[in-house]
Every structure is written in structure tokens, then in C-alpha cells.
């Protein structure tokens, strides 16, 4: 993910340029992998990875009210990289899971329940406690439920004007 940064893009709210992330990819990747794995072990997402800035950009030159602004969410680069680690990990699990499920389904009379969750815009629209109850009903491991709930709760946002 660090190597795929578009160097012509502006730095995010953390003032770290994408070119810096690209150049330091080899040094950053092991640290972020350790943070991600530790997060999974503790079933908790670090709070610094759950904050974003919403910049209100004027839709037109003369502003007469709040509807004349377009909200643009700028998530910290660190959080984006963390989300990529999550998605890459889920892809890896999906590959292993697919093998396990297909092997399991070779046995007559068996079935598999599969749950896919897209977190890309979920933060503001889902009730984490309801999701956790449903995941528990689906026999998702408690540690995974706890980690997902941590990811979706206590998110911080700030709003600024451009």
C-alpha cells in the first residue's frame, strides 16, 4: 500500500506526503503489520486510526447557508493504510476460507454460512451493537466481533472550512 501512493497528491491532514510514504515503504510496512497483528490480538483498533477530518468545500462562490458546502472526508493516511492492511488480511483469510469451505462442502449433508462485510462507508451508517449481536448469532468468534465493534465505535471527526 505504501508503494502504491500517488506522489503527485497533496499530503493529508497529518502533513505526511505520499512520496515520503512511498520512499519509506520498506521501513514502514513491518511496523504497520506489527500494529495490525497486535490490534487483532487485543481485539481493539487504536483510536488514532479512527479519526478523520471533514473539509467543507464551497459548491458556489456566494455562500448563503450550510447546503452551499460540499463535505469532503479526509481520513488520515495512516488510517487508510490500516484499512488496506485490514482488507488485504481479509482477502488472505477469504482465500484460506474458500479452501476450507469447499473442502467442508465435499461432505454430504453439510452447509456453510458466509458473511461478507464491506466497511468502506459503514462508519456513519451502522449500529455496531446490532451488528455485533447478529455476528454472534452467526457464530462469528467473539474476538472477531469485539475487533469489528472496536473498529466501528468511538470514531472521531472534525469539521473545517477550506
Amino acid at each position: 500500500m505504501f508503494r502504491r501512493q500517488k506522489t503527485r497528491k497533496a499530503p493529508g491532514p497529518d502533513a505526511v506526503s505520499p512520496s515520503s510514504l512511498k520512499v519509506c515503504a520498506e521501513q514502514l510496512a513491518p511496523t504497520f503489520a506489527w500494529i495490525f497483528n497486535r490490534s487483532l490480538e487485543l481485539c481493539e483498533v487504536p483510536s488514532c486510526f479512527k479519526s478523520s477530518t471533514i473539509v467543507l468545500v464551497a459548491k458556489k462562490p456566494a455562500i448563503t447557508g450550510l447546503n452551499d458546502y460540499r463535505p469532503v472526508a479526509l481520513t488520515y493516511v495512516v488510517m487508510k493504510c490500516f484499512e488496506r492492511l485490514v482488507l488485504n488480511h481479509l482477502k488472505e483469510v477469504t482465500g484460506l476460507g474458500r479452501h476450507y469451505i469447499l473442502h467442508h462442502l465435499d461432505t454430504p449433508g453439510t452447509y456453510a454460512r458466509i458473511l461478507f462485510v464491506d466497511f468502506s462507508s459503514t462508519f456513519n451508517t451502522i449500529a455496531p451493537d446490532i451488528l455485533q449481536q447478529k455476528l454472534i448469532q452467526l457464530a462469528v468468534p467473539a474476538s472477531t466481533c469485539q475487533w469489528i465493534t472496536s473498529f466501528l465505535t468511538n470514531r472521531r471527526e472534525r469539521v473545517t472550512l477550506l
Side-chain angles (χ1 to χ4, degrees):
M1 183 62 201
F2 292 119
R3 285 191 190 117
R4 287 192 228 139
Q5 294 295 309
K6 295 179 182 174
T7 55
R8 299 188 72 114
K9 297 283 184 174
D14 56 5
V16 177
S17 71
S19 57
S20 296
L21 293 172
K22 195 169 190 167
V23 168
C24 299
E26 284 189 42
Q27 292 80 18
L28 292 172
T31 302
F32 276 82
W34 181 86
I35 291 169
F36 176 71
N37 288 326
R38 187 74 174 138
S39 170
L40 288 174
E41 288 171 21
L42 297 174
C43 306
E44 189 173 321
V45 176
S47 60
C48 62
F49 293 161
K50 300 190 296 183
S51 63
S52 62
T53 301
I54 297 175
V55 179
L56 297 179
V57 179
K59 292 181 191 176
K60 50 189 177 179
I63 304 300
T64 58
L66 288 177
N67 286 335
D68 294 338
Y69 287 104
R70 177 179 292 115
V72 178
L74 298 175
T75 306
Y76 284 90
V77 172
V78 169
M79 175 152 176
K80 282 298 182 195
C81 292
F82 189 76
E83 287 175 4
R84 278 287 157 224
L85 282 170
V86 171
L87 293 174
N88 288 339
H89 179 72
L90 289 176
K91 284 179 190 171
E92 183 179 312
V93 170
T94 303
L96 295 171
R98 183 174 46 238
H99 172 73
Y100 172 78
I101 289 166
L102 291 174
H103 181 70
H104 172 73
L105 291 174
D106 283 340
T107 308
T110 59
Y111 67 95
R113 290 184 287 172
I114 303 172
L115 171 70
F116 294 97
V117 181
D118 177 8
F119 289 116
S120 58
S121 297
T122 310
F123 320 129
N124 305 322
T125 59
I126 197 164
D129 52 333
I130 294 172
L131 175 63
Q132 185 172 23
Q133 290 170 11
K134 294 201 180 274
L135 292 173
I136 289 169
Q137 289 172 358
L138 293 170
V140 172
S143 60
T144 304
C145 293
Q146 203 174 343
W147 187 85
I148 291 170
T149 301
S150 173
F151 185 72
L152 294 173
T153 55
N154 299 321
R155 302 185 70 77
R156 293 178 301 161
E157 291 181 342
R158 68 182 183 139
V159 178
T160 63
L161 290 172
L162 186 63

